[in-house]
Amino acid sequence: MKKWLVMLSFIAIVCLLAACGQDDEQQNASEELNAEKWEEIQDKGVIVAGTSGTLVGASTYDDDNNLTGYDVEIMREVADRLGLNVEFEIMGIDSMQSAIKSDRIDVAVNDIEATDLRKEDFAFSDPYKYSYSTMVVRKEDNSGIESLEDLEDKRAGGGATTIYSQIAEHYGAEVVTYGNAPNEAYLSDVNNGNTDVVVNDYYLSKFGVASFPEFDIHLHPTLKFHPTEQAIMMDHDAETLQQKINEVLAEMREDGTLSELAIEFYEEDASQKTEEEVEEIEGLDL
């Protein structure tokens, strides 16, 4: 009887060890899968980032035609601290999601809001910018807009897939879409009456308006809504890459680099949460 008990115990231990071995193999395989994008980037020594080059303050060209901006310089610093070079692919915001899925780019960095809906399809870094939404309107009459409800039947310039266009549509505006157009195209249309409003990020709007003093436009004086967090977007499988980027962003926050870059490009510390009273929008699936 004792021999049988010893043999059964031995068999149970063997089975348990075998099961543990299988679990370890599955875990290792999973870790290899999650690290695949990071290893691929390391092998090349280059991380490819999609950006538009059309967002004043975030991703734009300087007077010498060099790509720069808050998002661009953050990405350069992240790459440098990871021991990588960075190459930027210029494309419209509407193309960035498909470019990540097709492996044309590794990440997208273009003042992209990390919403719950987007997180279903993509991974995001920790936030490097905090902001809220506002509107660019005509100075003389605020384009007839004194509340979000006044967006109904107005013409709003914007990208087809942006959160700002979704907000405008939510309140009944007709969205006039553009390709990868510069700020001047959007703001000029508000100025000349082709559109009534541009719903957009506070910092981008502030610097966009300041860049074209000849236009009869300004930031809406009272409307502040939809607080936002901007982050670097990548594929869900890029878990190791996401971790590495988050580690570097934490270093940059700790040593003040994020604040320095934000003040350089926005004249305010956009890396910290705003103290403004910002209206939340209910019933919008973002």
Side-chain angles (χ1 to χ4, degrees):
M1 183 70 177
K2 289 183 179 178
K3 288 182 179 180
W4 279 106
L5 288 173
V6 171
M7 184 171 291
L8 287 173
S9 298
F10 176 74
I11 292 171
I13 291 170
V14 170
C15 291
L16 179 61
L17 291 173
C20 290
Q22 289 176 350
D23 288 343
D24 288 342
E25 288 176 6
Q26 290 172 353
Q27 183 176 355
N28 289 337
S30 176
E31 288 174 354
E32 287 178 9
L33 174 65
N34 293 338
E36 185 176 350
K37 172 58 73 173
W38 170 242
E39 291 169 354
E40 173 191 317
I41 291 170
Q42 276 191 307
D43 288 343
K44 293 186 301 183
V46 175
I47 186 167
V48 182
T51 195
S52 68
T54 61
L55 300 178
V56 175
S59 174
T60 189
Y61 288 90
D62 62 20
D63 293 339
D64 296 321
N65 205 35
N66 296 314
L67 184 67
T68 190
Y70 182 54
D71 293 45
V72 170
E73 299 307 331
I74 283 175
M75 195 64 235
R76 286 196 172 114
E77 184 68 17
V78 167
D80 184 62
R81 295 192 188 200
L82 290 175
L84 302 168
N85 292 319
V86 60
E87 293 179 358
F88 291 99
E89 287 274 347
I90 304 302
M91 60 182 66
I93 182 65
D94 297 337
S95 303
M96 291 179 193
Q97 295 185 14
S98 60
I100 288 175
K101 289 298 185 184
S102 67
D103 277 336
R104 177 180 169 186
I105 60 175
D106 301 312
V107 298
V109 54
N110 198 67
D111 205 67
I112 299 171
E113 183 181 348
T115 66
D116 291 339
L117 204 59
R118 284 174 174 166
K119 286 178 181 177
E120 293 178 6
D121 296 317
F122 297 92
F124 285 85
S125 71
D126 293 333
Y128 58 80
K129 178 187 169 197
Y130 298 92
S131 188
Y132 58 88
S133 304
T134 186
M135 302 181 193
V136 177
V137 292
R138 287 183 287 278
K139 280 182 185 177
E140 57 184 359
D141 61 353
N142 292 332
S143 298
I145 300 170
E146 299 304 332
S147 69
L148 287 167
E149 287 72 20
D150 290 335
L151 282 169
E152 187 170 3
D153 296 329
K154 296 294 191 296
R155 287 168 58 84
T161 64
T162 66
I163 301 304
Y164 309 109
S165 291
Q166 291 180 53
I167 292 172
E169 287 179 329
H170 178 74
Y171 285 98
E174 174 193 351
V175 174
V176 179
T177 60
Y178 298 71
N180 193 28
N183 283 23
E184 183 176 6
Y186 291 88
L187 302 179
S188 175
D189 276 358
V190 175
N191 174 66
N192 62 34
N194 285 341
T195 59
D196 301 298
V197 60
V198 173
V199 179
N200 210 326
D201 173 79
Y202 160 69
Y203 293 102
L204 302 185
S205 299
K206 180 180 78 167
F207 275 85
V209 168
S211 297
F212 301 99
E214 68 274 20
F215 292 166
D216 183 35
I217 58 176
H218 68 167
L219 292 188
H220 198 287
T222 60
L223 295 180
K224 300 176 177 67
F225 51 94
H226 185 59
T228 60
E229 296 181 356
Q230 281 73 25
I232 299 170
M233 184 169 69
M234 66 206 81
D235 193 79
H236 263 313
D237 287 340
E239 291 185 357
T240 302
L241 175 62
Q242 181 188 36
Q243 180 185 29
K244 296 290 185 182
I245 290 174
N246 282 341
E247 289 171 357
V248 170
L249 288 175
E251 290 174 5
M252 292 168 66
R253 186 172 293 281
E254 181 67 23
D255 66 24
T257 302
L258 286 183
S259 292
E260 290 172 9
L261 288 172
I263 293 169
E264 176 183 350
F265 288 101
Y266 294 127
E267 298 177 357
E268 298 180 56
D269 192 355
S271 73
Q272 303 294 327
K273 290 186 177 180
T274 180
E275 296 181 358
E276 296 278 355
E277 289 188 15
V278 180
E279 180 183 351
E280 296 274 4
I281 297 177
E282 302 294 334
L284 193 58
D285 185 15
L286 300 176

